[in-house]
Amino acid sequence: MRSDVMKKGVTRAPHRSLLYAMGWVKEEMERPLIGIVNSANDFVPGHKHLHQISAAVKEGVRLAGGTPLEFFTIGVCDGLAMNHQGMHYSLASRELIADSIEVMVQAHPLDGLVFIPNCDKIVPGMLMAAARLNLPAVFVSGGPMLAGRFQGQPADLNSLFEAVGRVKAGTMTAAELQELEESACPGCGSCSGMFTANSMNCITEALGMGLPGNGTVPAVAAARVRLAKKAGITVMQAVRDELTPAKVLTPAAFANALTLDMALGCSTNTVLHLPAIAHEAGITLALDDIQAISERTPQLCKLAPAGADHIEDLAAAGGVQAVLKRLAEKDLVDTGCLTVSGRTIGEQLAEAKILDENVIRPFTNPYSTTGGIAVLWGNLAPNGAVVKQGAVAPEMMQKTGPARVFNSEEEAVAAIYGGKIKAGDVIVIRYEGPKGGPGMREMLTPTSAVAGMGLDKDVALITDGRFSGATRGASIGHVSPEAMEGGPIAVVEEGDLIAIDIPARKLELLVSEEELQQRLANLKQPQPKITTGYLARYARQVTSANTGAVFREVDVT
């Protein structure tokens, strides 16, 4: 066992003494040591119950003959960090999460790991760590929040962000807003739509790193506790079988994950995280690969914010396994891929059932013949841009309009709420990329403001930053290269015409090539917004969004 280097032999007597100091008995020391990587904190509603999940995982580990050792990571709540300085730290926390787990696991040799994530950057950060460390590992998330109810209709966190715009527009009262804010998020779990956290938890299941149900069993269900116990039992079998992430995280597994992504209409943030996880596994996942999978995969589900269904509805319809089963009908997933359960995807799908074809549509009636996410290219985004096309109104799929240019999210939000944006405008928000932000802030506030003020079918938004999984409308993000790297988005001028053609995968600034090159030659970059602390170091190391915003490899020769 890997942990033997810490606990066996005469020279390890001091180490064993430290373990005895914690009340251990010899029998515990002789068992495999399993790290329980918990992201619990008191800030995040998705984490409120993770101590209960952790306790169940530990029970499972002990039932199967292991000794659990829990440690914790940081975790940012994107909702609480939204539209103030805190959002600079959200994406940047992903690298810290992966690095901190590496530190703990390498400093204290363990035999296996159970990861307990919930919420946006924690899931990918933990998956990056699992791929990097390559120890037997199982994921069990905290699960999704149930949807709330407001005036007889389902509600969620995104309903609040859009309601702010409705209040500003005079179509909702302050009293109604207060009623909504007390009912939209009814309890613990990751926010109830197909936002980034739930997208990544579902994708973890398709990758084979989580057990069936990981993405959709509600946080408050007893089945979630049972799943946690099973995760503890399963990791012990993985240790015995030497089943490591390298055997699970194959190119075919990433293709399966992206296929599920497209069928569900997941958050555009998955296009940041999957390439970063693949990078840790030694696999290159480019935007071209992502677009190819989107082109062949129909969108079969439309969950909030794009539609009325929530994660609990997907769970009732059969969950992720049911969607994978449907995709397997057309050979769109590789059923031979191995999972942490020790079974293949195909063996797991033998138990899956599609229980509601209104939630998981048949191939004869898809929402779209292509995937929920599209990659756009053109002179405005030479290295690509990303849009959640499954959440775009039909009338906005092709659009040409004048640019309204802003150098920060705050400037754009002030203009939207100030009534300065008109139907037909194309809002451009730049210097919000991984380096320029820094941290590539998630911009749910401007997109929700546009939707709340009734302009989501009339106004497009383009940025080198990124959007929340809760975003809907013609919101095009991840424009690469970003402005701070000298990308063409840096030289867009007020009133320039921009042409968006999502079906043709095009994003074009309608100026001559000569004019564009002249502007780029004359570009003078602003000073970095933040020059001290972690964010300054992050900005110096991070790459553009098309790479997954991974850190640059440093040549030390």
Side-chain angles (χ1 to χ4, degrees):
M1 291 188 292
R2 182 175 182 268
S3 60
D4 286 350
V5 303
M6 182 176 66
K7 64 185 186 182
K8 281 204 170 180
V10 173
T11 60
R12 297 300 185 255
H15 304 65
R16 291 192 295 273
S17 182
L18 291 170
L19 296 175
Y20 283 131
M22 294 190 292
W24 281 29
V25 295
K26 184 180 178 182
E27 288 79 4
E28 288 177 291
M29 208 172 301
E30 291 174 344
R31 295 177 173 187
L33 303 186
I34 305 300
I36 313 299
V37 191
N38 195 347
S39 58
N41 65 50
D42 285 345
F43 290 94
V44 189
H47 296 194
K48 190 67 178 174
H49 62 310
L50 292 192
H51 294 295
Q52 179 188 19
I53 299 296
S54 173
V57 171
K58 291 176 184 177
E59 286 183 39
V61 169
R62 292 191 181 99
L63 281 169
T67 298
L69 288 156
E70 184 175 16
F71 65 93
F72 296 86
T73 69
I74 60 170
V76 171
C77 176
D78 279 23
L80 293 176
M82 197 71 66
N83 65 39
H84 58 81
Q85 68 173 0
M87 187 45 71
H88 289 290
Y89 290 87
S90 176
L91 180 61
S93 73
R94 187 186 71 181
E95 270 51 41
L96 284 176
I97 290 165
D99 289 350
S100 66
I101 294 168
E102 177 190 351
V103 167
M104 289 296 291
V105 173
Q106 299 292 43
H108 312 99
L110 297 166
D111 301 301
L113 300 165
V114 177
F115 291 86
I116 307 175
N118 235 19
C119 302
D120 294 14
K121 309 312 162 299
I122 301 158
V123 188
M126 287 188 173
L127 282 165
M128 289 165 68
R132 185 187 303 175
L133 293 164
N134 200 34
L135 289 174
V138 177
F139 278 67
V140 56
S141 75
M145 183 186 293
L146 296 176
R149 301 287 296 179
F150 175 68
Q151 296 180 346
Q153 298 297 319
D156 53 49
L157 182 65
N158 192 46
S159 306
L160 264 302
F161 280 96
E162 293 189 3
V164 173
R166 291 173 61 191
V167 172
K168 296 277 187 181
T171 59
M172 175 181 267
T173 67
E176 287 175 318
L177 179 64
Q178 182 173 348
E179 181 186 349
L180 175 60
E181 67 187 63
E182 292 179 5
S183 60
C185 299
C188 65
S190 48
C191 296
S192 57
M194 190 52 77
F195 312 143
T196 304
N198 290 324
S199 295
M200 288 305 305
N201 283 331
C202 288
I203 282 171
T204 299
E205 209 174 312
L207 276 173
M209 292 299 294
L211 299 176
N214 178 72
T216 58
V217 173
V220 295
R224 176 60 57 178
V225 177
R226 294 196 297 271
L227 189 66
K229 289 180 184 178
K230 287 177 65 177
I233 294 168
T234 300
V235 76
M236 291 300 299
Q237 188 61 50
V239 169
R240 287 189 286 269
D241 294 342
E242 298 183 350
L243 177 53
T244 60
K247 298 175 183 177
V248 175
L249 294 175
T250 62
F254 281 98
N256 283 348
L258 279 166
T259 301
L260 177 79
D261 187 341
M262 299 304 166
L264 289 177
C266 290
S267 163
T268 52
N269 284 317
T270 62
V271 181
L272 271 179
H273 300 321
L274 279 170
I277 299 160
H279 177 75
E280 294 287 354
I283 296 167
T284 299
L285 194 59
L287 288 182
D288 286 332
D289 302 319
I290 293 168
Q291 183 56 42
I293 291 172
S294 177
E295 292 294 340
R296 70 172 185 249
T297 308
Q299 183 175 352
L300 303 177
C301 305
K302 186 168 275 195
L303 296 108
D309 294 329
H310 287 78
I311 303 298
E312 63 202 72
D313 301 305
L314 179 59
V320 167
Q321 298 299 307
V323 180
L324 290 172
K325 190 179 187 77
R326 172 125 294 164
L327 292 167
E329 292 172 6
K330 297 287 187 181
D331 295 323
L332 291 174
V333 295
D334 187 334
T335 56
C337 287
L338 191 61
T339 76
V340 293
S341 71
R343 299 186 295 166
T344 64
I345 290 284
E347 288 169 334
Q348 289 185 168
L349 295 186
E351 301 169 3
K353 295 179 181 178
I354 300 164
L355 302 174
D356 189 341
E357 293 203 333
N358 292 314
V359 177
I360 305 171
R361 287 191 172 187
F363 287 105
T364 54
N365 185 32
Y367 285 101
S368 169
T369 56
T370 57
I373 293 174
V375 181
L376 312 182
W377 282 274
N379 67 352
L380 189 52
N383 293 342
V386 177
V387 63
K388 189 174 184 176
Q389 65 174 347
V392 178
E395 52 266 52
M396 292 298 290
M397 297 294 281
Q398 294 173 302
K399 165 86 176 171
T400 299
R404 303 298 309 280
V405 183
F406 305 94
N407 288 334
S408 72
E409 176 187 5
E410 288 83 359
E411 291 176 16
V413 170
I416 295 166
Y417 283 146
K420 296 179 181 178
I421 301 300
K422 307 279 192 297
D425 286 346
V426 177
I427 301 169
V428 176
I429 307 178
R430 61 194 180 195
Y431 295 104
E432 289 288 3
K435 180 176 181 178
M440 203 179 184
R441 288 189 290 177
E442 191 171 86
M443 286 183 276
L444 181 55
T445 299
T447 58
S448 296
V450 166
M453 297 183 79
L455 294 171
D456 57 300
K457 296 181 180 179
D458 301 295
V459 170
L461 200 155
I462 297 171
T463 181
D464 55 4
R466 64 191 178 91
F467 296 111
S468 166
T471 291
R472 62 185 175 93
S475 301
I476 300 167
H478 305 200
V479 171
S480 300
E482 63 171 292
M484 205 65 177
E485 293 277 15
I489 192 172
V491 296
V492 178
E493 296 180 358
E494 186 81 7
D496 283 345
L497 289 179
I498 293 175
I500 301 165
D501 191 335
I502 295 174
R505 311 300 187 234
K506 292 289 186 182
L507 182 62
E508 297 282 346
L509 177 63
L510 300 183
V511 301
S512 69
E513 181 64 19
E514 181 181 17
E515 169 68 14
L516 179 57
Q517 293 306 317
Q518 185 65 45
R519 290 185 189 180
L520 288 169
N522 294 334
L523 176 64
K524 290 185 171 72
Q525 292 287 25
Q527 291 297 309
K529 295 175 185 175
I530 297 175
T531 58
T532 60
Y534 173 60
L535 284 177
R537 297 198 305 276
Y538 179 85
R540 289 193 295 269
Q541 293 178 271
V542 75
T543 57
S544 284
N546 63 298
T547 66
V550 298
F551 280 174
R552 287 181 173 84
E553 298 295 335
V554 179
D555 186 357
V556 294
T557 60

